[in-house]
Amino acid sequence: MTTMTKPSTVEGFSHTENDTMLSWPDFEALSPKEKGQYYLTPEGNMRILIHSQQLNRELLDHLLELAELIRSSHYNDQLRRYVRSLLKEKSCALYFTQPSTRTFTSFSLAAQTVGMINEEIRDAEMSSLYKGESELDTLLTLAELVDMVIMRQGDHSLIERFAHEIISRGLSTRIVNGGSGSEQHPTQALLELYTLVAHFDLNNTDETFNVGIVGDLKRSRTARSLSYLLALYPQIKHTFIAPEELQMGDDLTEYLDENNIAWEKTEDMDAVLPKVDAIYMMRIQDEYGDTSEETRKRYGEYNLTTERTQNLKPSACILHPLPRRTELPIEIDADPRAMYWEAVNRGKFIRIALLLHMFGKDDIEKIQARAY
Ligand code: NCD
């Protein structure tokens, strides 16, 4: 067992500096919130982001404000130059062994925007994994070489194991989860939330706001991460719309119960469409296990057709993490309520904010002073 200096504590937790780092089995058994206390820099900034539950409302609001500042002054040359200087000594590796277009490009551009040097591993056959190296060893190699690893892979436990190794070894490498199995995709949740907050006043009202989440909820990391993040807003109700066999896991609804958040599970999409303020569509996640023909057929009944959009509130917002299949026809892109392309654009800015925060370069006043 390795001893280490603990990072500072977060709300509700206290550890002394002389605590010993937990063994992997003990660490693995902690809840994401409990793990989060180990995922901080000595100054209290997040340095490892794996689960949406690690964020509290204060940090979320801060990231949204910073993202908006950078986005709104993106064409201000002076600010752009300043932002580019902020992490110019830092390097990052994008380790993506699952397919990705948006998340990969968005992180890659975000890292370049703040001046970081990027390396990428996308093809296992071109890395030492092909020679039989374990993925953990590949990641530990990257951790020795770069300041930050941004990763996407099919096995959620790998990122947790990697984080534990980094902490045990006293390394300061930052880690960001760009999608881990069917469990988590916290930065996708951040960009959906950023889009919602840009269009709805979620901060100054306690009026119920109903978010419908539709599709393969059982295997969608984006649905899970968003739901965890939305749980920071007590007035948001979560309506899970899916055929029985693809419904949201009980672990997530138990978390909502623990946090006094209202939720409902339903198979009847048409009954709830007129009641939702935002709708989040999911594709079928057939890379995670077999999907029977019967399930595929039932899933097809949950497509958001143009006829169905007529039953949505005029003020409703339509989101989708993309890529899409048949659940969201391209015709809907022209609907003013469709906000998924805008969300892609916002993704880069919330990721810039996150990178700056993780390296302690997120002083809003200081950055703002450079904008004018
Ligand atoms: C999602 C993912 O990879 O989980 N895509 C994304 O990052 N925008 C959604 C999906 O693949 O269905």
Side-chain angles (χ1 to χ4, degrees):
M1 219 183 253
T2 320
T3 41
M4 59 162 291
T5 306
K6 267 297 146 43
S8 61
T9 57
V10 287
E11 240 182 310
F13 299 104
S14 60
H15 276 263
T16 66
E17 292 220 328
N18 296 323
D19 275 355
T20 305
M21 184 52 191
L22 302 174
S23 66
W24 167 240
D26 289 346
F27 186 76
E28 193 185 14
L30 297 179
S31 73
K33 270 193 182 162
E34 288 166 332
K35 284 175 185 154
Q37 73 185 298
Y38 295 88
Y39 296 162
L40 301 172
T41 65
E43 294 74 36
N45 282 20
M46 194 160 56
R47 72 171 176 107
I48 296 175
L49 171 59
I50 297 178
H51 303 94
S52 285
Q53 302 94 299
Q54 284 172 242
L55 284 119
N56 59 26
R57 190 59 190 276
E58 199 188 333
L59 175 56
L60 177 60
D61 289 347
H62 172 69
L63 293 177
L64 295 176
E65 193 184 339
L66 181 54
E68 195 51 22
L69 168 65
I70 294 170
R71 182 174 183 265
S72 61
S73 26
H74 191 53
Y75 297 103
N76 175 318
D77 280 350
Q78 213 177 314
L79 181 97
R80 266 225 316 271
R81 267 198 304 276
Y82 178 61
V83 168
R84 193 174 284 275
S85 75
L86 285 173
L87 295 182
K88 73 172 185 299
E89 307 294 332
K90 304 290 180 197
S91 55
C92 81
L94 290 137
Y95 177 82
F96 274 55
T97 55
Q98 277 188 317
S100 177
T101 304
R102 277 153 288 272
T103 309
F104 181 88
T105 312
S106 170
F107 265 123
S108 172
L109 290 172
Q112 291 172 55
T113 305
V114 293
M116 297 178 89
I117 303 164
N118 274 2
E119 282 300 328
E120 58 183 77
I121 294 187
R122 301 195 74 174
D123 184 355
E125 298 213 349
M126 297 297 282
S127 76
S128 288
L129 293 168
Y130 189 64
K131 300 186 202 166
E133 183 172 62
S134 72
E135 278 199 90
L136 187 57
D137 275 356
T138 300
L139 289 166
L140 289 169
T141 304
L142 296 177
E144 292 290 339
L145 295 171
V146 296
D147 300 296
M148 173 178 257
V149 177
I150 303 170
M151 57 192 279
R152 163 174 291 193
Q153 78 305 322
D155 171 14
H156 173 78
S157 66
L158 179 66
I159 190 167
E160 300 232 45
R161 186 79 180 80
F162 177 43
H164 179 263
E165 281 302 322
I166 291 299
I167 301 164
S168 301
R169 292 167 191 228
L171 295 171
S172 63
T173 318
R174 272 58 170 166
I175 304 173
V176 185
N177 187 356
S180 54
S182 51
E183 285 288 320
Q184 285 273 351
H185 192 348
T187 64
Q188 184 69 34
L190 278 171
L191 73 87
E192 310 293 8
L193 192 77
Y194 181 22
T195 308
L196 284 177
V197 168
H199 292 278
F200 299 95
D201 183 18
L202 296 180
N203 286 319
N204 305 308
T205 168
D206 45 19
E207 215 174 289
T208 303
F209 187 86
N210 193 347
V211 179
I213 308 184
V214 188
D216 187 348
L217 309 185
K218 190 177 169 191
R219 302 179 290 187
S220 286
R221 56 192 178 200
T222 48
R224 294 177 64 80
S225 282
L226 183 64
S227 205
Y228 281 125
L229 201 61
L230 292 177
L232 293 175
Y233 294 79
Q235 80 275 28
I236 293 185
K237 178 181 173 183
H238 305 225
T239 302
F240 301 112
I241 307 159
E244 179 78 49
E245 66 271 33
L246 297 177
Q247 255 302 356
M248 182 57 89
D250 293 339
D251 58 331
L252 192 134
T253 48
E254 275 158 26
Y255 179 88
L256 297 180
D257 284 339
E258 282 159 24
N259 288 278
N260 295 316
I261 300 294
W263 60 269
E264 180 191 345
K265 284 183 186 175
T266 179
E267 292 193 82
D268 192 348
M269 183 169 180
D270 292 309
V272 292
L273 277 186
K275 299 187 208 155
V276 299
D277 298 293
I279 187 156
Y280 194 32
M281 298 297 298
M282 300 290 125
R283 77 172 164 90
I284 197 155
Q285 304 281 316
D286 42 15
E287 65 267 48
Y288 298 110
D290 293 339
T291 309
S292 70
E293 261 326 296
E294 181 57 26
T295 298
R296 219 174 269 284
K297 216 168 112 214
R298 296 199 69 210
Y299 174 82
E301 291 161 18
Y302 291 79
N303 291 346
L304 188 64
T305 57
T306 36
E307 295 74 60
R308 270 183 164 150
T309 57
Q310 287 164 20
N311 297 326
L312 283 171
K313 290 182 186 175
S315 60
C317 148
I318 305 167
L319 290 169
H320 190 303
L322 303 169
R324 62 180 157 192
R325 293 200 194 158
T326 54
E327 69 282 355
L328 185 66
I330 193 165
E331 292 71 46
I332 294 181
D333 294 10
D335 189 315
R337 295 168 294 182
M339 290 175 192
Y340 32 93
W341 292 112
E342 173 187 325
V344 173
N345 178 278
R346 289 183 181 275
K348 180 176 122 178
F349 297 98
I350 195 73
R351 289 181 172 116
I352 292 173
L354 178 68
L355 300 186
L356 293 177
H357 170 74
M358 291 179 84
F359 286 103
K361 297 284 185 185
D362 56 339
D363 185 330
I364 291 184
E365 274 178 26
K366 227 171 166 178
I367 297 174
Q368 200 153 29
R370 297 300 186 114
Y372 304 102

